[in-house]
Amino acid sequence: MGSVVLSLDAELGWGFHDLEDPPTDRVEAGRRGWSVMCDLLEEFDVEATWAVVGHLMLESCDGTHADHPAPPGWFERERNSWADREDLRFGPDLVRRVLESDVDHEFASHSFSHVLFGDSATDHDLATAELERATEIAAEWGQTVDSFIYPRNDVGHRDVLAEHGVSAYRGKSPTRDGVRGLFDSTLRDQSMLVEPEIDEFGLVNVPASLFLFGFEGPARTVAESVWADPMLELARRGIDEAVQTDGVFHMWLHPNNLTSKRDDQRMRAILAHLARRREETDLTVETMADVANRLHRSHGLDGLDSVSTHVDGQATAGGASSAGGN
């Protein structure tokens, strides 16, 4: 029997600050969606991996970040048009809600300011600064970072993750676009499950199975009017496959995807099905760190200390020291 993982990219305005024309509905929905997801996860007692942008854990800042090697203009929106939008730039209240939940969620990192690690302009120093700042802030909150979710799923600089003691990351799904939405998942002979693997840096790649908001807009409205919510059906299918087969069904979303009541209803229905199948069977719900620890144990590695030793060994052998690390 397999397991189900749910991960969330918790970013508020930082997921959009570098875009010329950010989607207003999603920008404004971040806080609402975050609260709704906390409520639903508590209602159904489902643990999740919350990957938080580190800047959200600050109480305040002047927007200069003078010691950060970001490219020119990276913090421009924070300093200018969003200077008075603290609700988009900071979220310590929301982070506390996750950490104080009755559900045993995993705290993970989504970088410090949502830098794209796979972008050619992101060098080793920038990736290091993003992860170091995020982990420093997490430590101030009494949190460690075992898992990392790449902003916009743009994988890169895995060596930096290994150097900083990260255990797992969410890799791209095995589809042509690396995201897997409706059209990649409707092939009936294609499994919805993924197989986590230990990569050459000692990190566990926990690939995505399904982005839960990969079919939106007018097409979703039409589909729901004549059939049912396609993403709900795919999520149910993945959960049911995990009940029947070994492997991991890894679904993910952003809290800001919940822009309306019908989005809430989708997530309620998915979590209700997951909770019901878990109660009926031996289905396991895991965090990304759970998956990493399980896989490391199965390979004779005893927890994160052994993972660090494994990574050091890889580096000594020349596998984990390259600056690119993609």
Side-chain angles (χ1 to χ4, degrees):
M1 183 172 296
S3 66
V4 174
V5 174
L6 175 63
S7 58
L8 299 95
D9 301 15
E11 53 198 30
L12 295 185
W14 291 99
F16 310 99
H17 76 108
D18 58 323
L19 302 181
E20 183 175 345
D21 186 22
T24 302
D25 59 339
R26 288 186 57 197
V27 170
E28 300 299 335
R31 284 184 162 269
R32 174 195 179 278
W34 194 312
S35 296
V36 170
M37 284 304 304
C38 281
D39 289 342
L40 290 174
L41 292 169
E42 288 176 353
E43 178 180 350
F44 293 102
D45 192 27
V46 171
E47 58 267 40
T49 295
W50 286 79
V52 178
V53 168
H55 194 290
L56 296 178
M57 303 171 76
L58 300 177
E59 296 287 346
S60 64
C61 80
D62 60 9
T64 58
H65 305 289
D67 59 345
H68 193 289
W74 181 247
F75 294 102
E76 180 178 355
R77 182 166 265 126
E78 181 189 18
R79 290 193 293 264
N80 295 293
S81 60
W82 285 358
D84 61 347
R85 293 299 306 271
E86 292 190 356
D87 59 317
L88 301 180
R89 298 163 51 210
F90 307 108
D93 54 325
L94 296 173
V95 178
R96 289 189 192 97
R97 175 72 191 280
V98 173
L99 298 180
E100 295 172 0
S101 174
D102 291 335
V103 181
D104 190 18
H105 295 307
E106 178 191 4
F107 173 86
S109 177
H110 199 37
S111 80
F112 171 67
S113 64
H114 211 260
V115 162
L116 304 186
F117 275 51
D119 191 286
S120 60
T122 301
D123 60 16
H124 185 271
D125 289 344
L126 178 54
T128 298
E130 278 285 296
L131 190 54
E132 281 187 350
R133 188 70 182 108
T135 54
E136 287 170 359
I137 296 171
E140 293 171 3
W141 281 61
Q143 302 298 311
T144 57
V145 174
D146 294 333
S147 301
F148 186 85
I149 290 181
Y150 285 99
R152 296 189 191 137
N153 297 297
D154 199 359
V155 177
H157 296 286
R158 289 176 291 137
D159 56 324
V160 173
L161 271 60
E163 290 164 4
H164 289 80
V166 173
S167 176
Y169 65 95
R170 189 180 70 204
K172 295 182 179 181
S173 64
T175 62
R176 64 177 180 274
D177 62 1
V179 175
R180 181 182 252 157
L182 176 68
F183 297 105
D184 278 319
S185 302
T186 50
L187 299 177
R188 289 298 170 181
D189 60 348
Q190 182 177 21
S191 173
M192 298 287 286
L193 305 188
V194 294
E195 290 292 339
E197 295 181 341
I198 300 177
D199 70 12
E200 66 269 33
F201 301 101
L203 303 170
V204 175
N205 174 10
V206 188
S209 294
L210 181 68
F211 174 44
L212 294 175
F213 287 83
F215 186 68
E216 306 306 306
R220 173 184 175 182
T221 301
V222 171
E224 289 178 342
S225 68
V226 299
W227 178 43
D229 180 352
M231 302 311 297
L232 171 57
E233 295 304 311
L234 288 173
R236 286 172 173 165
R237 174 183 148 199
I239 293 167
D240 291 344
E241 186 180 359
V243 169
Q244 301 165 359
T245 312
D246 287 340
V248 174
F249 177 58
H250 184 180
M251 49 187 177
W252 69 279
L253 73 153
H254 312 86
N256 60 49
N257 288 128
L258 278 65
T259 62
S260 66
K261 290 292 185 181
R262 72 171 182 169
D263 299 324
D264 304 351
Q265 292 167 358
R266 170 185 287 175
M267 291 310 305
R268 171 178 287 280
I270 290 171
L271 292 174
H273 185 74
L274 174 58
R276 182 168 56 254
R277 297 296 278 153
R278 180 179 57 183
E279 183 178 355
E280 296 170 345
T281 68
D282 293 329
L283 179 68
T284 302
V285 176
E286 297 183 292
T287 65
M288 288 174 55
D290 291 336
V291 174
N293 287 332
R294 173 167 57 80
L295 196 59
H296 283 134
R297 288 194 299 270
S298 72
H299 284 72
L301 299 171
D302 184 17
L304 299 182
D305 290 340
S306 294
V307 174
S308 178
T309 301
H310 176 70
V311 172
D312 290 343
Q314 292 282 352
T316 301
S321 59
S322 63
N326 290 332

